[in-house]
Amino acid sequence: MENWRRQPWVFATFIGPGTLWLFLFFLLPLGWIWLFAVGEREGPVDIVVTWTLENYREALQPVYLQLFLKTFLIALVSTAICLVVAFPVALAICFAPDRYKNVLLLLVILPFWTNMLIRTYAMIAMLRQNGFVNDGIGLLWTALKYLLTPVGLDGLMGERFAPLPLLYNNTAVVLGIVYVYLPFMVLPLYANLEKLDRSLIEASLDLGASQVRTFFEIIVRLAKPGIVSGIILVFIPALGTFLISDLLGGPDSQLIGNVVERQFRAANNLPLGSALSFLLLYLTFIALALRAWFAARAEKADA
């Protein structure tokens, strides 16, 4: 490969537009938010940068720390569910006949063609008291009660079906996050599993390993890069989500993203909102650093 210093204008032509875009629409706004976090309000809209840490002290109060912990746990649970659901889906697409693979991948990508707000409202139609899920369970309950009536066991099921409280709680928030971000887990897993050497699976089975052991010792081990990529792509957006918890969650289901959104809009407290958002950003950087550290340790152990 020719050294880029011999023709720097070619290098600048390719990297210049992207660098300018990142600077103008990512780094520069991020820098303003960072300055707001060390500033104070002066009047209804003016903010003076005084290099104070009072906003961070307020952001570290117990009420906000509890929200950070709750957000972390909900994001962690949602990511784990996405991984458990996405792995067999990606594996099934990988081992599907070639004529079906493009159709199956299209079905995974299809939700991206619809706005996230509309998809979240669709979850409300699914989970509400008279929604599709409760109606479906109610039909199954009625059919089971009808089947048990001849043997006199219908009294065990009660007089009527009570709809499940699936909406406006933490469960609804987790289901919403899983529904929205599941494709971000399926796609990197599929991309990694598609490159899997299937002869290793056959060799493991031929040497006497069970299917379960082959799955964990061969498939899961070789799919680690896709697993890590999928976890990052789901966990980090789930940490900062606020639309899903705002629409699907109740008063006790608010996440730190909802607090940040309210500080910027309703309360007009940009310094506190900026401090909270940067604390969330720092946690994300710490998570990425830990991931890189564990990956480096794993590479040294394998070597």
Side-chain angles (χ1 to χ4, degrees):
M1 182 182 293
E2 187 178 8
N3 194 319
W4 67 270
R5 292 186 179 88
R6 296 181 181 177
Q7 293 182 331
W9 61 273
V10 176
F11 180 78
T13 301
F14 282 100
I15 201 173
T19 303
L20 182 63
W21 179 274
L22 286 175
F23 176 77
L24 290 178
F25 299 105
F26 179 73
L27 294 178
L28 193 60
L30 199 64
W32 278 113
I33 298 298
W34 185 81
L35 289 176
F36 290 162
V38 291
E40 296 180 10
R41 287 191 297 178
E42 190 177 87
V45 294
D46 295 331
I47 298 176
V48 179
V49 178
T50 58
W51 305 106
T52 179
L53 297 178
E54 188 60 34
N55 299 310
Y56 285 103
R57 293 193 189 97
E58 187 176 354
L60 291 174
Q61 290 181 359
V63 61
Y64 296 124
L65 291 179
Q66 290 177 0
L67 278 175
F68 274 112
L69 179 59
K70 180 180 178 181
T71 302
F72 181 86
L73 292 176
I74 287 182
L76 188 64
V77 171
S78 303
T79 304
I81 295 175
C82 281
L83 179 59
V84 172
V85 175
F87 205 101
V89 172
L91 202 60
I93 298 175
C94 180
F95 284 91
D98 291 338
R99 63 179 180 273
Y100 295 135
K101 283 185 178 180
N102 290 335
V103 177
L104 294 174
L105 285 174
L106 179 63
L107 293 177
V108 173
I109 302 173
L110 196 60
F112 290 119
W113 296 3
T114 307
N115 186 273
M116 180 179 170
L117 181 63
I118 298 176
R119 284 183 282 154
T120 307
Y121 274 113
M123 286 295 294
I124 296 178
M126 292 286 294
L127 300 177
R128 63 190 177 188
Q129 189 171 5
N130 58 342
F132 299 121
V133 175
N134 272 315
D135 286 347
I137 297 176
L139 289 175
L140 291 176
W141 183 89
T142 304
L144 185 59
K145 187 177 177 65
Y146 177 78
L147 293 174
L148 293 178
T149 299
V151 295
L153 296 178
D154 57 307
L156 299 175
M157 301 182 62
E159 293 296 328
R160 54 179 298 180
F161 169 71
L164 300 176
L166 300 176
L167 194 59
Y168 305 127
N169 50 40
N170 292 332
T171 302
V173 175
V174 171
L175 291 176
I177 293 175
V178 171
Y179 170 66
V180 170
Y181 295 115
L182 184 62
F184 291 104
M185 184 70 76
V186 174
L187 294 177
L189 283 174
Y190 167 77
N192 190 259
L193 291 171
E194 183 66 20
K195 298 181 293 184
L196 182 67
D197 188 356
R198 302 186 184 183
S199 62
L200 296 175
I201 302 176
E202 297 174 358
S204 175
L205 295 173
D206 291 340
L207 291 173
S210 64
Q211 292 185 355
V212 174
R213 185 174 181 183
T214 299
F215 175 77
F216 285 103
E217 295 291 336
I218 304 297
I219 299 178
V220 174
R221 279 179 176 268
L222 295 178
K224 273 186 179 181
I227 293 174
V228 172
S229 299
I231 289 174
I232 292 174
L233 289 174
V234 173
F235 182 74
I236 292 178
L239 276 178
T241 186
F242 68 92
L243 177 63
I244 298 173
S245 53
D246 191 41
L247 295 178
L248 302 182
D252 297 329
S253 306
Q254 299 300 290
L255 306 180
I256 195 65
N258 300 103
V259 177
V260 173
E261 187 264 345
R262 284 196 295 268
Q263 295 299 327
F264 273 90
R265 296 185 61 185
N268 197 28
N269 191 351
L270 271 64
L272 179 58
S274 301
L276 288 169
S277 61
F278 260 89
L279 283 178
L280 193 61
L281 187 62
Y282 298 149
L283 289 176
T284 303
F285 286 157
I286 291 172
L288 292 175
L290 288 175
R291 179 261 167 186
W293 182 69
F294 281 116
R297 285 192 61 185
E299 290 180 0
K300 289 182 180 179
D302 294 338

